Amino acid sequence: MLKGYSVPRSPEGRAALVPSPPWHYAGDFLVIEYWTDADAVAAVLPPGLAPYREDPGRCAALFVDWQSCSSDQSELMDPVRSQYKEFFIVVNALYKGEPVTYCPYIWVDRDFALARGWIQGFPKKLGSIHITRSFNVPSAASPKIEKGGRFAGTLAANDRRLAVGSVTLEKPSAVGPTHNDPPIMNVRYFPRLSSGQHDNPAVNELVRARSRDRAVSEIWEGTAELELMSAPNEEHTALSPVRMGKGFRLSFAYTVDDLETC
Amino acid sequence: MLKGYSVPRSPEGRAALVPSPPWHYAGDFLVIEYWTDADAVAAVLPPGLAPYREDPGRCAALFVDWQSCSSDQSELMDPVRSQYKEFFIVVNALYKGEPVTYCPYIWVDRDFALARGWIQGFPKKLGSIHITRSFNVPSAASPKIEKGGRFAGTLAANDRRLAVGSVTLEKPSAVGPTHNDPPIMNVRYFPRLSSGQHDNPAVNELVRARSRDRAVSEIWEGTAELELMSAPNEEHTALSPVRMGKGFRLSFAYTVDDLETC
Amino acid sequence: MLKGYSVPRSPEGRAALVPSPPWHYAGDFLVIEYWTDADAVAAVLPPGLAPYREDPGRCAALFVDWQSCSSDQSELMDPVRSQYKEFFIVVNALYKGEPVTYCPYIWVDRDFALARGWIQGFPKKLGSIHITRSFNVPSAASPKIEKGGRFAGTLAANDRRLAVGSVTLEKPSAVGPTHNDPPIMNVRYFPRLSSGQHDNPAVNELVRARSRDRAVSEIWEGTAELELMSAPNEEHTALSPVRMGKGFRLSFAYTVDDLETC
Amino acid sequence: MLKGYSVPRSPEGRAALVPSPPWHYAGDFLVIEYWTDADAVAAVLPPGLAPYREDPGRCAALFVDWQSCSSDQSELMDPVRSQYKEFFIVVNALYKGEPVTYCPYIWVDRDFALARGWIQGFPKKLGSIHITRSFNVPSAASPKIEKGGRFAGTLAANDRRLAVGSVTLEKPSAVGPTHNDPPIMNVRYFPRLSSGQHDNPAVNELVRARSRDRAVSEIWEGTAELELMSAPNEEHTALSPVRMGKGFRLSFAYTVDDLETC
């Protein structure tokens, strides 16, 4: 009798790469809102989602420094299994006429987060992500979360730098990032390997993310920059900025143990 | 119209973590045949497989130093996307009365190989694998593939060492490793996240691996040692050796683009 | 005319692994005070330092999550060159009758910090260090800096786990960790390779660390645990705890651009 | 009484990052000969070396896949401490009228190799290096060492790709790479940190490498390509090719336990 939420399933269920939900998350976010070419957004939307004509080409790029754990919180006492960093792009779209966001590209630096993402429908690949931190002590080596504080994020994968973003804080934000108000939609996708079935996936379902116990810190906003760099096996540069929006810095927490299949 | 064999699917299909089959592989193998507790083998078998009563507790541990590519061989000119190392354990079993092998635990050091494994039904997690090499030049730093040549493999994951194996060569092998004669069976498994469905996977299918264009080098055999070490989120030590068999060193190549669903 | 503080020295001086001092540091510290066998401490002291007979066997183990930069702070906008983690052990000793501390073993996870350490006399090797973080948002995934908050640190090197420590917070600390009140002494050491000179280093000098612009956050203290694990090429387990002291959590910043040669 | 060839020095001498010489090496080389701007070569030469006017701007770029060990060969049974990859550039120069080569820039992917390099005078930084391999089995995933065989090498550091080279084999080489006939000169350099002494290194000596027990495989030669990419903290692109020479593939072994101070 094999146990465990994910592979490898094992006699005691302890070996699974992804432990059973719920999954608790806390993280520091660098959010960069921007606009890209509207056709480039349309080109990454899966069946079921339509372009968001009201504000075409709207996107956000997010660098996140995460810590997560499952119910028994054992990962927090073995932090190599708890911490990871992530970069992703979301585009605005419509689902049955309702505003949503969709994540076409996402990179993460640990295996458990990669597999957990696939199960949620996030199309994760491994990358190397670094994000400026603020420490609770005055230092030339620690930007402050106040006017003039500058924070950067970088992404690389396969030994190539793929994204650099930065935010210069100006003031506390009355509203916060707006890209994330609509729910996020994903596609759970698991291919077949049998001959003749390579284009007929075993799982291909549009889903809507669900979360609970959401909490957010004070949010700061300011100006932002973002550059995306190309690589032979990447297409994210098609979503490069043509116009910048605001940048934000915040801490955020939530819990995930559910999903809505559309 | 999104393209690509795996996520992330993209307008041109270049961003997919796993390129379309066929996948070509070449690698150097360290194979260690051994026996563990027969009940421990029975405990890791999925539904559909039965213990191999004829030779109970029979296993093999394999350290493999791989290079792989897809049809256009572009990965060979960008070797960061081509090379990876792997450690796995196979146990002998019966499927409908026929001898087979089954892989309960496997670690690999690159994301594309991890995802490609999941699609084939190999329950891969990331690990750090190192394997002694032989270079084509006389040196104290290069064991020779001849009598007395010694080769080792090690596995770690989450900053803990999990396996150490070694082989001391004695002679060319007339037969080669025998664990791999029967076909290898896997379980393709992809969980659901919707509330109430965590134990009801979207994909849970017993499959039989298929490969073609198999090639093997001269095989050397000798004595072998293997130690498995425990970790909080691992259960592979339940398959620790109670008796050692032979060790083997060989190079092997094959191509995969098919799978048989049982 | 080659420029640069460290190798590689180059025409513009931009390529140096270690940029010119001053170096600014900010970090989160997990400090674990303990006692080991007094003879084991005596055995790691370099010439010039004597055992601290007043409190024999006194040690501390420190896990630190650092961010650092040089004068132009450019590293903060390219955080891959700014952040690193570190584990080290200090032992108490006497220098000319004055209480000091000495660092026999230290691991760090980035090359610039490794080389910068050698120049200061810290005997750094590369390791993998992870430390529980607290985020500024309520979450099951984020321990709070308050009574009951639990934080852990782990060290591995060469794929083997070498140290695990943890602190459970009890109250703000009136005094803070006391191991660090005396100045820290190091040995700058750079071997020769010429035949017959392998035991006659080019540099072998006892030095006393100097720093300025020191700043510290509120300090919390509590109970602590520490376990050191052995490896073939490590000797730190000779300094394993025989009695535990307090654990501390704090943030700390300072600037280094000087050193006193003794 | 502390023992050990390098830091950390310890009671038994087992903890040293660099074990005592001799050091035995075996590796697979991709050598790319080329010419860059002669002034750029002159600009990287240390005092004591003069430009090689006979063939100005002559360079070579080398990607090497190494395995090394010390006298007891214990590293070969723990290959995580034995294997590493390296990329470096050498330029031709004159020392007291005699042709030599000099290595201005070099990257390596393991700490023991970095420290061992500093001791020899190689100005090593950490990088990520990957090199196409040939396996001893026919496969689409394994280029052959024969006419038409193609091999590539790549370098990255700090998450940025810094070099890509490739060689297409044409024929066995009668002569082999010629850059390496002259002896290689290095500068052993160890800075001071005491205030006012930052430009007055403790060690700054021109040295000539010595090795013994050199062995080389059959050498293949062919055409070559090389591209160097810039980064904020790198200057190697000043040595970019203006004209390509031949490329070579070979295996090479040697032993090092001496050095000549000039």
Side-chain angles (χ1 to χ4, degrees), chain A residues 5 10 12-15 78 110-111 125-126 158 160 188 191-192 195 198 232 234-235 257-259, chain B residues 5 10 12-15 78 110-111 125-126 158 160 188 191-192 194-195 198 232 234-235 257-259:
Chain A
Y5 178 68
S10 57
E12 300 177 29
R14 283 189 295 115
D78 190 18
R110 297 299 314 278
D111 61 349
K125 300 200 279 194
L126 284 189
N158 291 307
R160 292 178 180 91
R188 283 168 40 92
R192 283 199 176 89
S195 179
H198 298 173
E234 304 291 356
E235 297 184 34
D257 56 4
D258 195 7
L259 188 73
Chain B
Y5 178 68
S10 57
E12 300 177 29
R14 284 189 295 116
D78 190 17
R110 296 301 312 277
D111 60 350
K125 300 200 279 193
L126 285 189
N158 292 305
R160 292 177 180 90
R188 284 168 37 93
R192 284 200 175 87
S194 299
S195 179
H198 299 173
E234 304 292 355
E235 296 183 36
D257 56 4
D258 195 6
L259 188 73

Side-chain angles (χ1 to χ4, degrees), chain D residues 70-90:
Chain D
S70 51
S71 289
D72 69 4
Q73 299 180 298
S74 59
E75 296 93 341
L76 300 180
M77 289 293 103
D78 190 16
V80 67
R81 294 189 286 132
S82 180
Q83 297 170 351
Y84 63 104
K85 295 190 182 78
E86 187 166 84
F87 171 79
F88 62 109
I89 296 171
V90 293

Side-chain angles (χ1 to χ4, degrees), chain D residues 5-37:
Chain D
Y5 178 68
S6 83
V7 294
R9 303 187 77 234
S10 57
E12 300 177 28
R14 283 190 295 114
L17 176 53
V18 181
S20 293
W23 309 314
H24 305 291
Y25 302 75
D28 288 338
F29 280 61
L30 218 52
V31 181
I32 297 172
E33 295 186 335
Y34 72 96
W35 287 263
T36 187
D37 177 69

Side-chain angles (χ1 to χ4, degrees), chain B residues 216-237:
Chain B
V216 68
S217 70
E218 186 188 40
I219 301 173
W220 276 74
E221 67 175 45
T223 57
E225 299 182 20
L226 178 69
E227 186 185 1
L228 306 180
M229 296 87 153
S230 65
N233 63 322
E234 304 292 355
E235 296 183 36
H236 66 303
T237 52

